Amino acid sequence: MNKKQESPLWKSITNKASEVRENLGKEVSKASKSISEQASEVAKKKASEMEEVISNKASDVSKYFRETAQKSTLKKQQTNSEVWQETENNLEQEEIYHIFVGYQTANQGGTQKVTIKSGKSYNVRIRPNSIEGSTLRLQKCGLQGNDTFLVLHTFYNPELNLDRRINSLVIRASIYERSKTRCLEAYNRINSGLYTYDLPALNLLDFIVKSSNIDSLIGLRYIIASENSRWVGINKGLEQVLDSGNLMEVEKHNLKGIYLYIKSGEPLPNFDKFRQLDSIILNSTIARELKDKYLLASATSMALRIDMLIVNLIYSSPEIDNSKHRKYLSVYQQLREGATVDNGIIQNLDTVIFQDKIPRICKIVYQLLRDRYFESDLKVNQNDFHTVFHKLKKAEKFVKQAENSEKITNRFGNIAIQKGMLIEGVDDAVVSGGVGVLAGVKVLKGGEALMGAVGLVAIASTLEMSTQEKIKLGITEEGNFSGEVAYSGIMNAINQVSWVIGDGGERKLEQELDIFKRFKGNQNRKQILQELETKLYS
């Protein structure tokens, strides 16, 4: 059977994306290759039916994105072969946004508000019968006046009755009828692109779907819809606070732009506004579960940038001999995953980092790793936030005394992706071909301790913000932020703070599998189902 002709637009996008990755010198991570090699037979069969050649370099979500994008409704639209315009920052060259569209809008057409990294919002017209993977182009709306592309995701499909499949899973589940009703109500809201206030029901529905044997590609579509519903709630919290604040429009745009980088799963473009954005959302009235989700995503975005700056410094510092780059990098990598480092190189690395011009926050996070801020968790059965917070203040004081007096900036220039950076393995980021946080926020493998340190800094910054600054941002006492609760949430999210003793006697973080992966097919599935259902009524 002959393969269908790719649309000119998608062919152009694919070719250009390949060029960008080559220019960046970014190699595909081993983890991504492993995912491709272990793809399920169902997914392979589905790919064959769609007559799509799936790249072994893509993650599961990226594969799905490319498959469905082939069916774009823009196939018939004439497009200029040169629709791409590069910008100064390598990570910002291609502006692609993933947008979830509710069933009715995708079916009948309509408008949807879309915000991009410039912080500006547009009411975009959605054409009738817009299916999964449809793409739209916003001309000259990008950061540098370049075109931006919207990839649409939806549960609408004229050929597949997805509602029937999900409903069937819920109906057959061994839960109470009232619980089934609440799950179906939650599904109706995520299908419509709305925030699901009944988060316990959504969590139960997630487990029912993810632990089933439903087609993996349909499962990916479900994940996108489910995660989108949660982020709609986070968006609402951000908008409500900004609406009540005293910020100028340009300041609001800057905050929204930073927020879009976080949603894209990409490194922060600068450190100017992260403190204000974290404080707004963490002090909002949204559910604690959503605050935890945002904090993990924010810590990921910031950790990626801090990691890039430190690794780049190791490669570029004149104080480090070229033949020793690998040794210094190895020491830093051990620190960022929480291992104990007993090596003469560490003192030299300290000097290099503290005397450089990299942003101060990078040095504070590095010193937290050196101080092993997390070790208080080994001495008690609960997170002792006050002890950890004391370590943070000690690290801040040490950095101010250790760094040279030259001006430190929160901005930075172009940084090429190099071996050893965490971003090498981040396949869910939009810049890597993924869908960002719509694929679920993942813990950076090998960067667990680093993420915890970054999260601690974000929490401390929120706690220390002055009342006057809070009022300007629109934060009220109604949000009532708790640092101890926030720290507990992010540390639980990062591997459930699971520490083990390595062969060499060092303490290391042990990566735990996602809860749904652990319980999928497990003989205790029924027990887990009951526990999740109990939370509906607690």
Side-chain angles (χ1 to χ4, degrees):
M1 183 181 294
N2 294 328
K3 294 183 177 179
K4 296 179 182 178
Q5 186 69 29
E6 285 187 346
S7 67
L9 173 62
W10 185 242
K11 186 175 182 180
S12 173
I13 292 176
T14 303
N15 291 340
K16 188 63 182 179
S18 297
E19 284 182 26
V20 172
R21 278 190 278 274
E22 292 175 3
N23 291 337
L24 290 174
K26 180 181 180 182
E27 298 181 358
V28 181
S29 67
K30 294 181 180 179
S32 178
K33 291 181 180 179
S34 176
I35 291 174
S36 297
E37 292 169 356
Q38 297 175 12
S40 67
E41 292 301 320
V42 176
K44 292 179 180 178
K45 181 179 180 181
K46 185 67 177 179
S48 176
E49 292 172 357
M50 298 181 76
E51 301 173 342
E52 176 69 62
V53 178
I54 301 177
S55 169
N56 286 332
K57 298 180 180 181
S59 66
D60 280 350
V61 175
S62 180
K63 289 182 203 171
Y64 182 50
F65 168 35
R66 296 177 187 280
E67 290 171 0
T68 54
Q70 184 182 359
K71 291 188 174 182
S72 169
T73 56
L74 286 183
K75 277 185 177 181
K76 299 179 182 179
Q77 179 179 345
Q78 290 184 346
T79 57
N80 188 327
S81 59
E82 279 299 319
V83 297
W84 299 87
Q85 179 177 338
E86 295 186 359
T87 63
E88 294 181 0
N89 193 317
N90 286 334
L91 291 175
E92 299 164 4
Q93 285 181 340
E94 314 302 345
E95 286 190 53
I96 299 176
Y97 300 88
H98 293 264
I99 311 299
F100 186 85
V101 180
Y103 188 96
Q104 184 174 343
T105 302
N107 181 12
Q108 302 176 8
T111 60
Q112 183 154 326
K113 182 179 178 181
V114 173
T115 303
I116 60 177
K117 289 175 181 174
S118 65
K120 296 181 179 180
S121 299
Y122 300 89
N123 288 319
V124 178
R125 185 175 65 84
I126 308 296
R127 291 182 297 273
N129 299 315
S130 291
I131 61 173
E132 175 74 14
S134 297
T135 56
L136 295 174
R137 178 171 62 162
L138 303 182
Q139 295 184 347
K140 300 180 180 180
C141 292
L143 291 168
Q144 303 295 327
N146 51 311
D147 292 349
T148 64
F149 292 87
L150 308 180
V151 180
L152 308 186
H153 300 277
T154 178
F155 252 30
Y156 167 72
N157 190 307
E159 299 176 359
L160 299 175
N161 192 337
L162 299 178
D163 285 353
R164 179 180 59 80
R165 296 195 180 197
I166 301 298
N167 288 346
S168 177
L169 289 176
V170 175
I171 297 294
R172 296 200 310 265
S174 300
I175 56 179
Y176 293 116
E177 291 301 317
R178 174 55 183 160
S179 301
K180 294 178 182 179
T181 300
R182 287 176 62 175
C183 285
L184 293 176
E185 288 173 348
Y187 170 70
N188 287 336
R189 292 195 68 84
I190 70 172
N191 194 9
S192 300
L194 302 174
Y195 170 48
T196 305
Y197 294 93
D198 192 352
L199 290 173
L202 182 55
N203 291 333
L204 177 58
L205 178 62
D206 283 353
F207 181 73
I208 291 173
V209 174
K210 293 179 182 180
S211 61
S212 71
N213 59 354
I214 196 170
D215 186 299
S216 61
L217 297 181
I218 295 177
L220 288 172
R221 291 174 69 165
Y222 173 83
I223 291 172
I224 291 173
S226 177
E227 290 297 320
N228 172 76
S229 180
R230 292 175 171 87
W231 282 91
V232 168
I234 298 174
N235 295 349
K236 287 181 179 295
L238 174 60
E239 292 288 351
Q240 287 173 356
V241 176
L242 289 179
D243 287 344
S244 60
N246 299 312
L247 297 176
M248 298 176 63
E249 284 303 311
V250 65
E251 293 177 298
K252 293 181 181 180
H253 287 165
N254 288 337
L255 288 169
K256 291 179 181 179
I258 296 295
Y259 177 69
L260 262 294
Y261 276 93
I262 292 173
K263 287 188 66 176
S264 296
E266 298 170 10
L268 290 183
N270 59 68
F271 292 143
D272 287 342
K273 299 295 180 181
F274 80 91
R275 180 171 179 264
Q276 291 90 332
L277 182 61
D278 286 347
S279 296
I280 286 174
I281 294 180
L282 295 179
N283 277 289
S284 70
T285 56
I286 63 175
R288 175 186 167 185
E289 178 182 328
L290 298 185
K291 291 181 181 180
D292 290 346
K293 181 175 288 290
Y294 166 80
L295 184 57
L296 184 61
S298 174
T300 299
S301 187
M302 189 184 297
L304 285 173
R305 178 59 73 184
I306 291 175
D307 180 71
M308 291 180 71
L309 288 165
I310 293 179
V311 174
N312 181 69
L313 174 60
I314 291 173
Y315 278 113
S316 62
S317 174
E319 303 298 323
I320 300 178
D321 188 270
N322 291 340
S323 63
K324 296 183 178 179
H325 284 163
R326 189 172 297 180
K327 291 183 179 179
Y328 277 81
L329 179 60
S330 176
V331 168
Y332 163 67
Q333 288 174 329
Q334 291 176 65
L335 283 177
R336 76 183 182 193
E337 69 179 22
T340 300
V341 179
D342 185 14
N343 190 311
I345 290 179
I346 192 70
Q347 282 77 26
N348 294 335
L349 181 58
D350 292 347
T351 301
V352 169
I353 289 178
F354 294 134
Q355 295 299 310
D356 194 76
K357 297 180 181 180
I358 58 175
R360 180 174 291 168
I361 187 174
C362 299
K363 302 174 183 181
I364 292 173
V365 167
Y366 174 82
Q367 183 59 26
L368 283 171
L369 296 176
R370 290 284 279 119
D371 281 347
R372 300 184 65 76
Y373 68 95
F374 44 75
E375 282 193 327
S376 58
D377 295 324
L378 299 174
K379 301 173 184 176
V380 294
N381 295 323
Q382 59 184 5
N383 294 321
D384 188 353
F385 178 68
H386 297 291
T387 301
V388 178
F389 186 77
H390 176 72
K391 287 191 176 184
L392 169 63
K393 304 312 295 181
K394 178 182 176 182
E396 287 180 339
K397 182 179 180 180
F398 176 84
V399 168
K400 289 179 181 179
Q401 294 174 343
E403 65 184 4
N404 62 37
S405 59
E406 292 186 49
K407 185 178 180 180
I408 303 298
T409 178
N410 282 332
R411 293 188 173 272
F412 25 81
N414 233 357
I415 301 177
I417 296 176
Q418 303 186 60
K419 286 187 176 181
M421 291 180 176
L422 288 172
I423 195 172
E424 276 193 304
V426 183
D427 296 304
D428 287 329
V430 173
V431 74
S432 303
V435 297
V437 296
L438 294 186
V441 185
K442 310 295 192 304
V443 175
L444 297 175
K445 187 176 182 180
E448 299 89 347
L450 174 65
M451 289 184 66
V454 172
L456 173 59
V457 171
I459 293 165
S461 297
T462 299
L463 285 171
E464 296 175 332
M465 182 169 287
S466 68
T467 302
Q468 184 177 2
E469 189 173 2
K470 286 183 179 180
I471 293 174
K472 182 180 179 180
L473 292 173
I475 298 171
T476 66
E477 293 301 320
E478 197 176 359
N480 213 6
F481 174 68
S482 167
E484 188 168 359
V485 170
Y487 183 70
S488 174
I490 191 170
M491 294 307 286
N492 284 335
I494 300 174
N495 311 312
Q496 305 298 311
V497 199
S498 175
W499 298 85
V500 296
I501 304 300
D503 293 337
E506 74 280 11
R507 294 183 176 92
K508 299 181 67 175
L509 279 166
E510 181 180 71
Q511 180 77 18
E512 287 192 2
L513 296 175
D514 177 84
I515 182 172
F516 296 123
K517 290 181 180 178
R518 280 194 286 130
F519 295 133
K520 186 174 182 179
N522 191 292
Q523 61 180 356
N524 293 323
R525 179 184 181 278
K526 184 176 180 180
Q527 178 184 346
I528 304 305
L529 196 66
Q530 291 175 346
E531 291 177 0
L532 288 172
E533 184 180 17
T534 299
K535 293 183 179 181
L536 269 65
Y537 307 100
S538 61

